[in-house]
Amino acid sequence: MKKALLIAAFIAANFGIAQTYNNGGLSTGATSKSGTAAPAGYTWSELQNNTGNTTESNTSLGLGGTSSSAAASFFLADDFTVPAGSSWQITTIDFFAYQTNYAGTTAPFNTVRVNIFNSDPSVAGATSVFGDDTTNRFSAGVDATMYRTGNTVVPAAAVPGTTRKIWKITANTPVTLGAGTYWIKYQLQNVVMANAGFLPPVTIVGSRGLPAFNAKQFDAILGTWTSLVDAGNPTSAPDVPLDMPFVITFTATTLGTQETMQYDNRIQVYPNPVKDHFRINNPERLRISSVEIMDVSGKIVRTLKGSEEYSVSDLPKGNYILKIKNEGGHTKITKLIKQ
């Protein structure tokens, strides 16, 4: 069953518009590279290889971003941008994690610590603008309907596993941020503290990662920062940088119409934010017939024919909605931020 991960409600004109910013996806589809279907109602989050490369794949199933003992405490950090001329009134942030072999029906995590900085917290001079490293901001934990698994084809055939169910963990983060680039430093903690969980990085079908990825890990015991990279499988594969997925729910005052739109987490636009050109990661190999670019009021500002690359260099800065149509008449919707 196809599963849409994100819902964004666009509310009445001149009032707050509830929106979501997605820092990157995890789902790679309901069928693994080897052709195995995911359990009903679920999709895989499968480690990737670059399209055309049949010898090297990613190896990072999940990163340490939890506190599991007095000797093991890690935070993760990644950035996001509030566009020029905008102000985000943030209400919640969703994070994603798994506990290997956990078979319970309720989330195995019950603690989220969030600290938002006005710049890279690994660099001297960064200032916290919200939160801290100690307060528990946990709001909810639900099944994200994905299983994390290794690459089932590259570099060798393997069977996808269902021992790493991914959970969506929501933190209450009431803060208003003006335009600028911010960093989220965060940490989860398991219900049973010693049962350390892991946080899977952003996963893009057909790509081991993008050059702009820049997530970092903080060792709270040693007080040291490390840039996150995937070492590759086999070990001779080149390192690639990683990003971490999170979803920010916020409101902004703008003209709009009352409309509800469904966001498909498997359709990834990159780079996003974009300056000149963007591409569409297309895990279902949809034959795209057109891409409509709409402003937040729902007005179509541009219609583009299906292509490998789309130019928006002359588009004004701001938030847009992409309506991606395939030749079968189906529509996928996602967000685009133009810088």
Side-chain angles (χ1 to χ4, degrees):
M1 181 179 74
K2 297 178 181 178
K3 187 71 178 179
L5 183 63
L6 303 178
I7 301 292
F10 286 74
I11 310 176
N14 295 315
F15 289 90
I17 295 180
Q19 303 180 62
T20 52
Y21 165 82
N22 183 355
N23 200 54
L26 282 172
S27 176
T28 55
T31 305
S32 71
K33 289 178 177 290
S34 62
T36 301
Y42 286 77
T43 63
W44 300 114
S45 177
E46 183 176 359
L47 294 182
Q48 294 296 299
N49 55 284
N50 290 331
T51 299
N53 186 322
T54 60
T55 60
E56 300 169 339
S57 71
N58 281 349
T59 190
S60 300
L61 287 163
L63 288 307
T66 66
S67 176
S68 57
S69 72
S73 180
F74 296 94
F75 287 78
L76 296 173
D78 207 343
D79 63 336
F80 68 96
T81 298
V82 178
S86 298
S87 177
W88 289 5
Q89 192 171 33
I90 297 173
T91 54
T92 61
I93 303 177
D94 300 328
F95 303 101
F96 300 88
Y98 65 84
Q99 178 181 312
T100 305
N101 293 321
Y102 178 73
T105 57
T106 58
F109 305 91
N110 64 356
T111 300
V112 192
R113 302 177 180 99
V114 180
N115 201 346
I116 301 177
F117 290 81
N118 63 357
S119 60
D120 183 347
S122 70
V123 178
T127 301
S128 174
V129 296
F130 173 81
D132 52 56
D133 290 355
T134 58
T135 302
N136 182 9
R137 302 186 182 279
F138 177 86
S139 172
V142 298
D143 186 344
T145 65
M146 291 179 282
Y147 286 105
R148 188 68 168 166
T149 190
N151 193 303
T152 57
V153 173
V154 178
V159 177
T162 56
T163 60
R164 302 179 185 90
K165 179 187 289 187
I166 298 174
W167 297 83
K168 181 177 74 173
I169 309 302
T170 301
N172 283 322
T173 53
V175 60
T176 298
L177 300 176
T181 296
Y182 300 87
W183 281 74
I184 303 176
K185 177 185 178 186
Y186 60 97
Q187 179 186 70
L188 305 187
Q189 187 171 306
N190 296 63
V191 174
V192 179
M193 185 176 179
N195 293 338
F198 298 92
L199 288 75
V202 168
T203 305
I204 299 174
V205 172
S207 173
R208 289 190 58 206
L210 301 178
F213 284 178
N214 61 350
K216 298 184 178 184
Q217 182 188 61
F218 178 67
D219 186 327
I221 306 302
L222 299 178
T224 55
W225 285 94
T226 304
S227 294
L228 289 178
V229 297
D230 184 284
N233 182 18
T235 56
S236 58
D239 293 351
V240 297
L242 297 173
D243 247 15
M244 297 305 299
F246 54 82
V247 178
I248 300 174
T249 298
F250 65 96
T251 58
T253 301
T254 184
L255 293 176
T257 57
Q258 189 168 357
E259 184 176 6
T260 299
M261 293 187 173
Q262 192 172 51
Y263 284 73
D264 192 325
N265 191 50
R266 293 163 296 173
I267 302 297
Q268 296 294 316
V269 174
Y270 64 95
N272 193 7
V274 59
K275 289 185 178 180
D276 298 312
H277 301 84
F278 69 86
R279 291 173 175 263
I280 298 174
N281 175 47
N282 188 5
E284 295 184 349
R285 301 294 186 266
L286 303 175
R287 294 178 63 86
I288 297 174
S289 58
S290 68
V291 176
E292 292 180 352
I293 303 178
M294 301 179 290
D295 61 22
V296 292
S297 72
K299 177 183 177 182
I300 298 174
V301 297
R302 185 166 302 175
T303 300
L304 305 171
K305 292 184 178 180
S307 176
E308 290 292 320
E309 188 173 73
Y310 302 87
S311 175
V312 290
S313 57
D314 59 340
L315 202 65
K317 295 179 180 180
N319 292 335
Y320 294 89
I321 304 160
L322 297 186
K323 184 178 288 187
I324 303 165
K325 297 181 179 180
N326 70 3
E327 293 181 353
H330 296 95
T331 299
K332 305 289 185 180
I333 295 173
T334 189
K335 284 183 59 181
L336 179 73
I337 298 175
K338 175 63 167 62
Q339 289 186 331

